[in-house]
Amino acid sequence: MTAAPFDFSPLLPAGLPAAAARWTGLAKYSFVGGNNDPEQIPLDGLIEAVNAVLRREGQTLATYGLQSGPQGYLALRQFLSAKLRRDGGISCTADDVLIVSGSLQALDLVNATLLARGDTVIVERDTYQGTLNRLTRLGVNTIGIPLDGDGMRMDVLSDTLVDLKRRGITPKFIYTIPTVQNPTGTIMPEARRLELLKLAEQHGVPIFEDDCYADLIWDGKRPPAIHALSKSANVIHIGSFSKSIAPALRVGFIVAPWAAMSRMLALKTDAGSGALEQMVLAEYCTPHFETHVPALRRGLRAKLDTLMEALNEHFGTTAEFEVPKGGIFLWVKLPDHVDTLKLYQAALAAGVSINPGPEWSTDKAYAGSRLRLCFASPTHQQIREGVATFAEVCRKEFGVPTRSGNVEMKSRA
Amino acid sequence: MTAAPFDFSPLLPAGLPAAAARWTGLAKYSFVGGNNDPEQIPLDGLIEAVNAVLRREGQTLATYGLQSGPQGYLALRQFLSAKLRRDGGISCTADDVLIVSGSLQALDLVNATLLARGDTVIVERDTYQGTLNRLTRLGVNTIGIPLDGDGMRMDVLSDTLVDLKRRGITPKFIYTIPTVQNPTGTIMPEARRLELLKLAEQHGVPIFEDDCYADLIWDGKRPPAIHALSKSANVIHIGSFSKSIAPALRVGFIVAPWAAMSRMLALKTDAGSGALEQMVLAEYCTPHFETHVPALRRGLRAKLDTLMEALNEHFGTTAEFEVPKGGIFLWVKLPDHVDTLKLYQAALAAGVSINPGPEWSTDKAYAGSRLRLCFASPTHQQIREGVATFAEVCRKEFGVPTRSGNVEMKSRA
């Protein structure tokens, strides 16, 4: 290059997100992202599966969509329809399933099918950052409903729907993560799911059920999916293999009535999601999913225990949390004067990455002293060291926990 | 379900594409889509690669982005930077490469980075349908520049840029497929690439170079990429493994200046493209790409010959075409009174799928009697049978070719 470099900036449209920074690697102690436990990737099984499926039908890779059409690899959709029936009580066939490139593409497709700028949607007050960021970028009004130990509160939802109706607003959907809620870790019981369905039907609002974490319940017992309990086909259900097998594979799915799915398909202009990953998942999961997942859960539960012990040891009563019913994250409350956005920066400088609460909530003030800690990826030792380092940073920045934190410790498990 | 099914239609925003129809399978004789030759998928090599890479580093699948960061698997970016230098003369490092989910995601990211409704872009008059459809959906004014045997005509481009300037319009980019143009099969020579760069620089317009087919040139000799010839970093270059290895793998790439790439990265909110496909491609391509591709080209060239022979036999001089310099498609002109949109419907009913010209051109009248035939996927026998069936349909619908078509045949290869 000899001339002055071309200036792209005058060409950029309004409203672009800020430019990304150069990636500088993962933090030494990483408690962020939905990363999983490297030791629990079922490598032998995946290798066996990929050999079998490529030997048998590898030539189909020459065709976009693997000769299974735009909804994705047929064997994987068949596995999912059987699994969703067995685990979640969902009655669906392979024709009701759309394979997507991770549940993030599911979010994009559902949003694109239903939302326009200025629309209103209802979410849980504390919810998945990726969902909140998408809704913000789309210019959608997002109303957060507080949660209790059983998930989204139906009294507040009912009042909100009535209030919106008075103002002539029909929300486009109610987005919920009912089964191991992100970030609170709660599970909505069946009775409340039925209440939610009743309210949604009364108000003509569909439900967008994100069941990404539903495989990771400690005792393996889950209520029926909201999709399964609906009598009016008003639920769009999404899920993923990121948490149960491996996040880097980027395979998720949507179960939706054809009236909605046919619109999503028209918007899915990517010539299909990655075929090799769909093939290996179908081949591996059909025989092995039911034995793999309980072993994974046991390992995750042990890491959660290590994390809670480390927090008790270093923070004592300074760090408050409820024991999540499954999943890979813990939603932690620090004293009110702690600002987790500031703490995030200081911790990162010390090699510890955390998710500051305000990025995971519609109520930035409520979440200002909260944070999310993911425990699946670090080793037990990294969890212990990382929490110790994090406590040190927190003490230096905010004066808590005090040095005597560990003598104030009380058990909450 | 016992209640009436939920009605999604009042919730759909304006401007959605029409609902998709249920997929009904591939046509018996399929001459559409960028599908490749099933016999040429390098299965043994891919299987060897996937075993090696999973054994060595399969545990990294537990981490989004494979510990390589958001630009994609490092080993694949390293392979690409070496390959692009060797084949296209592009000076870039792995840091300049962004791995995406097929070149379709590349189109989406470049469009989202630069385009707003009402903007103007310049394309080749006959060009890739997926590009045209995206620009239409985005509400962008698309100006098509006619092509000759050397690709986009610079005299018309120059006049167009001057005319736009007079009207106060700066196009957001000039999109070109310079190396085996889709659908015309031309290759833009180096001198014209330099002319194009000069015009682009004079008018402050970046070039969007889509080099998807550049590996599939019959004699293997290609001019330097436009990106390589630029002195001002005003070119965004994209490519894909769909044509050289397998389309179902959904792996493409973008080479762009950081000023543009940092914006694309901020818009790529999919938590990374499929990792297993990136891993197997890096592992396979690094040692084998240079021997695989020439063998693939020889097979494709033989299928092209079969297609041209069949067209000569059944259509005679009724079907006009230039021999493409590479690729997997032939751009065919039928007599003016043939409407290939109608012919498409009739042929499909007879089991033959084709791409009607108007879907591949900004000039629907010019392209009305033209069509694109892809020849990589069908067998030699399917090509011969499919063309015979297609000629029969064309005769019945439009009276051409006449029964004596085959005695009018002349060789144009």
Side-chain angles (χ1 to χ4, degrees), chain A residues 6 134 172 232 269 277, chain B residues 6 11 134 232 269 276-277:
Chain A
F6 184 83
R134 280 166 167 71
K172 283 296 184 80
S232 65
T269 55
E277 312 196 333
Chain B
F6 184 82
L11 303 179
R134 280 166 166 73
S232 65
T269 55
L276 183 57
E277 307 197 336

Side-chain angles (χ1 to χ4, degrees), chain A residues 333-352:
Chain A
K333 169 81 175 77
L334 294 177
D336 288 342
H337 74 284
V338 175
D339 174 348
T340 54
L341 285 169
K342 279 191 191 160
L343 182 57
Y344 161 78
Q345 295 289 351
L348 198 59
V352 182

Side-chain angles (χ1 to χ4, degrees), chain B residues 351-364:
Chain B
V352 181
S353 59
I354 62 159
N355 288 126
E359 295 181 355
W360 298 74
S361 182
T362 60
D363 185 338
K364 308 305 177 195

Side-chain angles (χ1 to χ4, degrees), chain A residues 63-80:
Chain A
T63 303
Y64 285 103
L66 291 170
Q67 309 180 340
S68 284
Q71 285 178 237
Y73 184 52
L74 183 59
L76 187 59
R77 289 188 280 132
Q78 286 166 338
F79 163 75
L80 279 167

Side-chain angles (χ1 to χ4, degrees), chain B residues 60-389:
Chain B
T60 62
L61 290 172
T63 304
Y64 286 102
L66 290 169
Q67 310 179 340
S68 285
Q71 286 179 236
Y73 184 52
L74 183 60
L76 187 59
R77 290 188 280 132
Q78 286 166 338
F79 164 75
L80 279 167
S81 66
K83 172 215 183 302
L84 290 167
R85 180 184 304 267
R86 187 184 65 230
D87 296 348
I90 293 178
S91 288
C92 69
T93 71
D95 283 349
D96 303 313
V97 179
L98 170 60
I99 306 292
V100 293
S101 304
S103 69
L104 291 170
Q105 191 181 43
L107 294 178
D108 288 337
L109 290 172
V110 174
N111 288 344
T113 297
L114 291 171
L115 300 183
R117 193 161 289 273
D119 278 347
T120 295
V121 301
I122 292 176
V123 304
E124 285 140 355
R125 178 185 55 193
D126 311 313
T127 190
Y128 173 47
Q129 180 192 28
T131 298
L132 289 175
N133 289 350
R134 280 166 166 73
L135 295 171
T136 300
R137 274 222 72 206
L138 292 169
V140 164
N141 304 315
T142 304
I143 300 176
I145 306 293
L147 302 107
D148 61 21
D150 289 338
M152 189 190 286
R153 278 178 53 189
M154 290 302 111
D155 54 340
V156 184
L157 175 64
S158 175
D159 291 350
T160 302
L161 287 167
V162 168
D163 179 57
L164 286 170
K165 189 177 220 165
R166 199 176 298 132
R167 292 156 54 201
I169 296 170
T170 303
K172 284 296 184 79
F173 55 66
I174 300 166
Y175 172 80
T176 177
I177 310 171
T179 318
V180 188
Q181 206 269 341
N182 184 356
T184 62
T186 57
I187 296 178
M188 189 187 287
E190 181 168 350
R192 191 174 288 191
R193 291 170 189 238
L194 291 168
E195 267 185 277
L196 172 58
L197 277 164
K198 197 172 155 189
L199 285 171
E201 281 168 21
Q202 275 171 3
H203 289 269
V205 182
I207 294 172
F208 182 1
E209 176 178 43
D210 185 347
D211 241 6
C212 266
Y213 289 96
D215 294 313
L216 303 184
I217 301 175
W218 307 138
D219 65 7
K221 287 178 196 139
R222 56 157 299 165
I226 299 172
H227 187 289
L229 298 169
S230 169
K231 294 186 166 54
S232 65
N234 63 340
V235 180
I236 296 172
H237 176 99
I238 71 170
S240 170
F241 290 92
S242 292
K243 315 309 174 190
S244 53
I245 307 290
L249 291 181
R250 315 311 305 127
V251 180
F253 55 88
I254 302 174
V255 182
W258 182 246
M261 190 185 290
S262 60
R263 297 298 183 151
M264 296 184 213
L265 267 172
L267 292 163
K268 191 176 188 297
T269 55
D270 61 1
S273 294
L276 183 57
E277 307 197 336
Q278 295 183 59
M279 290 162 84
V280 70
L281 280 172
E283 194 79 10
Y284 172 77
C285 289
T286 304
H288 298 307
F289 192 84
E290 282 184 88
T291 48
H292 165 68
V293 167
L296 171 62
R297 284 198 294 250
R298 284 191 293 277
L300 294 174
R301 173 70 218 215
K303 287 194 173 184
L304 170 62
D305 288 339
T306 297
L307 175 61
M308 293 193 297
E309 280 166 28
L311 286 168
N312 283 334
E313 180 186 345
H314 293 284
F315 282 85
T317 55
T318 303
E320 298 171 46
F321 49 83
E322 300 290 328
V323 183
K325 292 181 174 158
I328 60 173
F329 40 75
L330 187 67
W331 183 232
V332 178
K333 169 80 175 76
L334 294 176
D336 287 344
H337 74 283
V338 175
D339 174 347
T340 54
L341 285 168
K342 279 191 188 161
L343 183 55
Y344 160 78
Q345 294 290 350
L348 198 60
V352 181
S353 59
I354 62 159
N355 288 126
E359 295 181 355
W360 298 74
S361 182
T362 60
D363 185 338
K364 308 305 177 195
Y366 169 84
S369 54
R370 287 176 162 80
L371 67 145
R372 193 184 80 139
L373 294 174
C374 293
F375 52 79
S377 173
T379 63
H380 289 269
Q381 189 180 341
Q382 285 171 328
I383 291 172
R384 284 187 288 264
E385 291 176 8
V387 169
T389 306

